[in-house]
Amino acid sequence: MSVTTDVGAGARREREGDGLAFYLKDAPWWILGLVGITVVMVFSIWYQQTFGHAYGLDSHSEVFQTYWMNFFYIESAVLVMFGAGLWTWLWMSREKTLDITPKEEFRRYINLVMFLCVYTFAVYWAGSYFAEQDAAWHQVVTRDTSFTPSHIILFYLTFPLY
């Protein structure tokens, strides 16, 4: 008498619902993170190229205050609120008991890897495009302040590193 087991049945049960394996349940958040960072970076490039050379060369001008310092103030407030909200959510949603199954532990490791991928993607953008153009901005702006269009953009790209 031979005993046959349906190995695929367990895998099918794990994928019930949204069609994803249990460890990819949070993959839409990963994709949303990558798309969100891409949108922010493309907007930053567009804003800097549109208003940087026209209004960002002299920090004493009225238009610099309008286009760049207001941008800086808004991004600072958004970063503080986002950070406070994120850390509050992390604290409130933490696991109270550490009795988890190996399957759940594996899913959390996959989530950690996805988070590190999104973070590395953001650091790549900040370090490749925006940081490399910083020297060019130092050659053309009036260096009477640390607030240049490249530093203002780099501030919110590197703020999570602090």
Side-chain angles (χ1 to χ4, degrees), residues 56-70:
L57 299 179
D58 185 9
S59 65
H60 291 296
S61 68
E62 187 80 22
V63 291
F64 185 87
Q65 300 298 318
T66 302
Y67 286 94
W68 290 103
M69 291 312 291
N70 286 338

Side-chain angles (χ1 to χ4, degrees), residues 54-96:
Y55 308 116
L57 299 179
D58 185 9
S59 65
H60 291 296
S61 68
E62 187 80 22
V63 291
F64 185 87
Q65 300 298 318
T66 302
Y67 286 94
W68 290 103
M69 291 312 291
N70 286 338
F71 185 87
F72 175 72
Y73 299 141
I74 290 168
E75 77 180 346
S76 299
V78 168
L79 284 173
V80 168
M81 289 187 297
F82 179 76
L86 177 66
W87 283 105
T88 301
W89 175 78
L90 285 172
W91 182 256
M92 300 306 276
S93 67
R94 75 190 189 283
E95 187 72 34
K96 309 285 191 294

